[in-house]
Structures are given as structure tokens and as C-alpha cells.
Amino acid sequence: MTQKEKSAEMVRKNIRAIRCSLCNSPMKVVDFKSLICSNNHSFDFAKQGYVNMMIRSTNSHYDKKLFAARQKIIMESNLYALLHQKIAEVINKRIPPSNDEIRIFDAGCGEGSHLKRILDECKNEAMTGIGLDISKEGIRMAARHYRQSIWLVGDLANSPLANQSCQVIMNILSPANYTDFKRILVSDGLIVKIVPGPHYLKELRDACFDDTDKLVYKNDKTVSLFKEHFHLVDMIHVSYTTRLSQLELLYLVQMSPIAWNSKKEQLHQFINQAFSDITVDLDILVGVKKQTKGDGA
Ligand SMILES: [Zn+2]
């Protein structure tokens, strides 16, 4: 079986989770090579195994170099290791082991490394990951490296995930579409959203900006918006530092949009340290769907 056929088979087993991004109809896998809906809209599997379900092309600012740097940091440094453990603990605590399929949807997954790491930490064979991102570069890289999950290019504003198809939604340092998340989640589903705290990557921000006070992340608005849509059942603050090598500091700069507009001399100093302790300061918002009349329809 080619990678494309293996991916098509995995999508076929989870076909209930996919809908047409043009007309929202159910889809089927045809000949191990295409997803076709009941109105005959067709999306082909790429040879790496992902499916591009965008209905129009968009320019993502995120390029290959950024995703390659992100992958190095997430997979090879320990910068996010503790975060991944905490998220896996939250998921395993709230989604008890069962023989039923459990789908974990990573909304805005980039090159897929967070999803890969978290699934590895969960150690639950019943879990299938589905990663969606608007960037074809990111999804192509995810499909090439992490073959155990389903990878889709798509838009959160018009996502190809079916109603009540996922038990868990993760949204890691990425924009949300709560209305759509509620549609996609099963009735007792879980949402795990990661937002930056005031000291997140402060060493990098100190190097990028003169007046960091202006750039302190405040989560009050994010939390209240989250609470409008979900019951906030837990909020876990994760804060620690990890030592990164000189090469890892370079990767950190390459993967961080905040570094793109900064003055080169200051960044030069940052990258030229033999190593630096980098602060990870994040909040994990854990929510469940609010039960309202008409849910399940
Ligand atoms: Zn269709």
C-alpha cells in the first residue's frame, strides 16, 4: 500500500467525521484516491496522504522554513514537553479509555508536531488525530512525517469536519472559531485551548522590543469569550523555563512571528548566545459544551 492509500483507508474508517467543504454533504473515499460528496464535489489525496479541502487559495505568511523550525523546536528540544504532558493528562482524565473511537481534532495544527507529541503522551490506541490548517506547506510536512493521523488543508471559517464528529478539540496558540467548534464536538466533548501568559517567551520578546510592557499578553478577554461558548471546567497555568542551545535559539526566532519585524542587531545578540533559558508561560483552558435546547439536532 502506498502512503496515499494508507491515508485514504484511515480517512475511510473515519469518514463520518468529514464533510464536503463546498456543500457540507457527507463524503466517501473512492478508489483510495479521492473524497467525493453526494453532490459529486471531489477532493484528491496528495501523494503524501493529506487532502486539500480549501475551496479557494489563500496566501499564508507561514512558509516552509517556519514550519521546519517549529518542528525542530517541538520534536527535538524540550521547550513544550511539559505542556504536552499536561494536555495529555487533561485529555486522559476527562476522556476515559473505551473501545469506541476517539477523535482528537487539532484546529490550526501547523506542521502537526504538537498533535503528534500529545497523541504519543496520551498512549491511547483508540485515539485518532485529525489536523487541520490553512497552510498547505504545514499540512504537507505533517502528512510526510506523522502518518498515523489525518491531515487536511482547510479553513476554520468553513471547516470540513462534520457535526458532532470529534470527542476533543485542541486549539494551541492559534485563532479559534467557537461556533464551529461547538458544531464539531460531540455533546459531552472536550475543548482544550492554549493561550499565552504574560511571560511567554519573554527572553525572545525582550530581545525583539524595547518596551515590552506594551506587549504583555492579557488573557481576560480570551477567557471571557471562551466562557460565553463553553463551561470552563478547569484552567491550568503552566510556567517553566527550558535551556535552549544556540541552534535551538535560531529555530525559535525562525518560528516566531514576533521576531520578524524586529531590529536585526538585537536578534543577532539573542541568536549568538551559547544558550539561554527560555520561559514557557501558558494557560490551558479546559471547556465542555454548554447543553442547550436543540443540541443534538
Ligand atoms: Zn459537496
Side-chain angles (χ1 to χ4, degrees), residues 197-198 205 212-218:
R205 285 185 295 132
T212 48
D213 285 0
K214 283 182 193 161
L215 292 142
V216 166
Y217 294 107
K218 287 206 170 108

Side-chain angles (χ1 to χ4, degrees), residues 11-258:
V11 170
R12 192 191 61 76
K13 285 184 188 157
N14 290 276
I15 197 67
R16 210 186 65 69
I18 314 288
R19 70 175 197 179
C20 178
S21 47
L22 275 166
C23 70
N24 300 343
S25 304
M27 307 203 81
K28 59 183 177 185
V29 174
V30 177
D31 296 337
F32 291 103
K33 65 175 193 187
S34 305
L35 270 171
I36 299 180
C37 83
S38 42
N39 290 317
N40 261 335
H41 300 126
S42 175
F43 303 88
D44 290 341
F45 285 86
K47 72 170 190 291
Q48 296 89 348
Y50 68 90
V51 187
N52 185 349
M53 301 193 74
M54 291 290 285
I55 50 182
R56 56 179 168 272
S57 62
T58 52
N59 284 325
S60 168
H61 296 296
Y62 293 4
D63 64 3
K64 231 182 221 173
K65 194 173 165 190
L66 175 144
F67 290 120
R70 249 180 69 123
Q71 185 184 45
K72 290 277 184 195
I73 288 289
I74 297 171
M75 300 306 286
E76 294 174 21
S77 85
N78 278 324
L79 191 64
Y80 295 103
L82 200 58
L83 173 72
H84 297 143
Q85 284 172 23
K86 290 280 173 196
I87 295 174
E89 273 172 30
V90 166
I91 292 172
N92 282 340
K93 181 177 147 197
R94 300 200 175 256
I95 304 286
S98 78
N99 295 323
D100 296 334
E101 54 192 6
I102 298 165
R103 280 184 284 266
I104 301 195
F105 172 43
D106 186 355
C109 66
E111 84 307 324
S113 308
H114 283 307
L115 178 57
K116 160 71 179 160
R117 274 290 183 110
I118 290 161
L119 286 171
D120 285 351
E121 286 287 337
C122 284
K123 297 181 179 72
N124 183 338
E125 293 287 316
M127 286 178 181
T128 300
I130 303 177
L132 178 91
D133 203 275
I134 201 163
S135 164
K136 193 158 93 175
E137 284 299 345
I139 291 297
R140 186 187 287 140
M141 194 179 287
R144 220 171 48 223
H145 288 99
Y146 315 128
R147 300 184 163 184
Q148 305 305 315
S149 293
I150 293 169
W151 303 107
L152 305 170
V153 184
D155 192 343
L156 277 191
N158 184 35
S159 102
L161 275 287
N163 295 356
Q164 302 204 24
S165 58
C166 296
Q167 283 70 23
V168 181
I169 294 181
M170 298 195 302
N171 185 224
I172 304 175
L173 300 167
S174 181
N177 182 335
Y178 292 134
T179 306
D180 215 45
F181 289 176
K182 284 187 282 190
R183 180 185 65 74
I184 292 165
L185 269 186
V186 299
S187 58
D188 56 351
L190 189 69
I191 174 166
V192 180
K193 181 170 174 65
I194 311 304
V195 291
H199 305 297
Y200 180 56
L201 305 181
K202 81 179 172 68
E203 298 79 6
L204 176 62
R205 285 185 295 132
D206 286 347
C208 290
F209 304 107
D210 293 327
D211 184 3
T212 48
D213 285 0
K214 283 182 193 161
L215 292 142
V216 166
Y217 294 107
K218 287 206 170 108
N219 283 334
D220 313 7
K221 276 187 188 160
T222 311
V223 174
S224 59
L225 185 64
F226 186 92
K227 283 161 98 173
E228 280 174 30
H229 292 273
F230 297 95
H231 282 300
L232 182 68
V233 292
D234 204 353
M235 186 162 154
I236 301 155
H237 184 220
V238 183
S239 183
Y240 56 93
T241 62
T242 301
R243 182 157 294 188
L244 295 191
S245 68
Q246 189 167 24
L247 184 60
E248 288 166 343
L249 293 175
L250 177 63
Y251 292 141
L252 185 67
V253 166
Q254 289 174 347
M255 68 171 255
S256 303
I258 55 164

